[in-house]
Amino acid sequence: MKILIVEDEPVLLMAMRQFLEEEGYVVTTAASFTTATQALNDYDYDCLVIDIGLPDGNGLNLIRQVKNEEKPTSSTAVPTTQPGLIIISAKDSLDDKLLGLELGSDDYITKPFHLPELNARIKSVLRRRFFGGNNLIRYGDITVDPLSHRVMVREQALDLTEKEYHLLLFFLANTNRLLTKAAIAEYVWGDYMDMADSHDFLYTHIKNLRRKLLEGGAPDYLRTRYGAGYIFSTAA
């Protein structure tokens, strides 16, 4: 899952990025309103963690921007639900909290906070946004526990790599949709894809994920659309 953190305190920003990347998220950071706006224009995200007080603007206006503006779609864009929104603030202001919730944010956390608490809130928002609030994600014969990163097929555990696990989560969050190779790579590898010459490496990860699911006893849910991308579906 891809996250944008908007925070102007360098130490906290670095700590959040490192912690969440270790938890397996693809993380982009912005230290100002201007860079956050550019990041929102360039990419799609599953969750936004936004500080209210920024040196060149108000984080609440970023939320307004996300809620009110529609970016033009491209050939690599994936139709997704709006991202989850978590506000962070240096002060426990009831007015800010209420306004943020009225604008459509999902949660509000006050500094100082523990990073595991932030992670728990992100997971909760993502479950609500993409998986109906369920603690376990079930699709056909596949069950995923996002808290433990455990994947099972017909109650038998699968041994997936980190990238294979996040590929599977991305497919499960976008079932029955045509996903281009560029969109998959961007969501799973994030900003590092800007330096890639091609998406050839993606084939290996998808091939290995498909093989492990089949060996575990799952039907072949992954449909290849040659020249276009992939569709993850239980439909024949």
Side-chain angles (χ1 to χ4, degrees):
M1 294 293 182
K2 191 167 183 179
I3 295 175
L4 172 64
I5 304 174
V6 184
E7 168 60 57
D8 66 323
E9 295 182 24
V11 174
L12 178 58
L13 183 62
M14 182 179 300
M16 286 192 291
R17 177 169 194 160
Q18 180 177 348
F19 182 86
L20 293 175
E21 286 183 336
E22 289 174 355
E23 290 294 309
Y25 297 104
V26 174
V27 181
T28 297
T29 59
S32 68
F33 186 95
T34 302
T35 54
T37 298
Q38 185 63 53
L40 289 169
N41 287 334
D42 288 345
Y43 298 107
D44 293 315
Y45 301 91
D46 299 301
C47 187
L48 312 178
V49 180
I50 299 176
D51 186 9
I52 290 179
L54 298 171
D56 58 343
N58 190 305
L60 294 175
N61 288 330
L62 285 175
I63 296 177
R64 291 187 179 96
Q65 176 180 319
V66 171
K67 291 297 182 179
N68 297 331
E69 294 184 5
E70 293 186 4
K71 293 188 301 182
T73 57
S74 67
S75 58
T76 63
V78 178
T80 60
T81 58
Q82 283 200 323
L85 289 162
I86 298 176
I87 293 173
I88 55 178
S89 175
K91 56 178 185 256
D92 189 8
S93 168
L94 179 60
D95 290 340
D96 284 341
K97 180 176 181 179
L98 291 177
L99 180 54
L101 294 174
E102 287 174 1
L103 291 174
S105 64
D106 298 282
D107 205 347
Y108 183 103
I109 188 168
T110 304
K111 300 177 186 177
F113 53 83
H114 297 291
L115 294 176
E117 179 187 1
L118 174 63
N119 186 32
R121 297 195 185 208
I122 290 173
K123 287 181 176 180
S124 177
V125 168
L126 292 174
R127 285 198 304 270
R128 293 199 303 270
R129 286 280 175 175
F130 294 97
F131 305 112
N134 297 312
N135 289 326
L136 294 179
I137 303 164
R138 301 183 188 275
Y139 189 79
D141 292 328
I142 301 172
T143 302
V144 178
D145 183 348
L147 294 179
S148 65
H149 287 199
R150 189 180 185 193
V151 177
M152 292 168 286
V153 174
R154 299 178 181 177
E155 306 306 320
Q156 297 297 315
L158 295 187
D159 183 18
L160 301 183
T161 66
E162 178 183 325
K163 292 304 182 186
E164 290 163 2
Y165 172 79
H166 287 285
L167 271 173
L168 179 60
L169 269 192
F170 185 61
F171 283 132
L172 292 175
N174 294 280
T175 55
N176 302 310
R177 292 173 171 169
L178 177 62
L179 304 175
T180 66
K181 294 185 289 292
I184 296 169
E186 177 189 315
Y187 263 77
V188 179
W189 280 268
D191 297 345
Y192 300 107
M193 282 308 305
D194 292 341
M195 298 178 287
D197 295 328
S198 72
H199 299 128
D200 291 345
F201 66 93
L202 188 62
Y203 294 112
T204 299
H205 292 284
I206 292 177
K207 179 181 177 181
N208 289 339
L209 173 61
R210 173 185 255 156
R211 174 179 55 79
K212 290 179 181 181
L213 290 173
L214 291 173
E215 290 177 351
D220 191 1
Y221 298 130
L222 194 56
R223 323 291 186 206
T224 302
R225 296 293 182 262
Y226 293 100
Y230 300 88
I231 297 175
F232 201 87
S233 174
T234 57

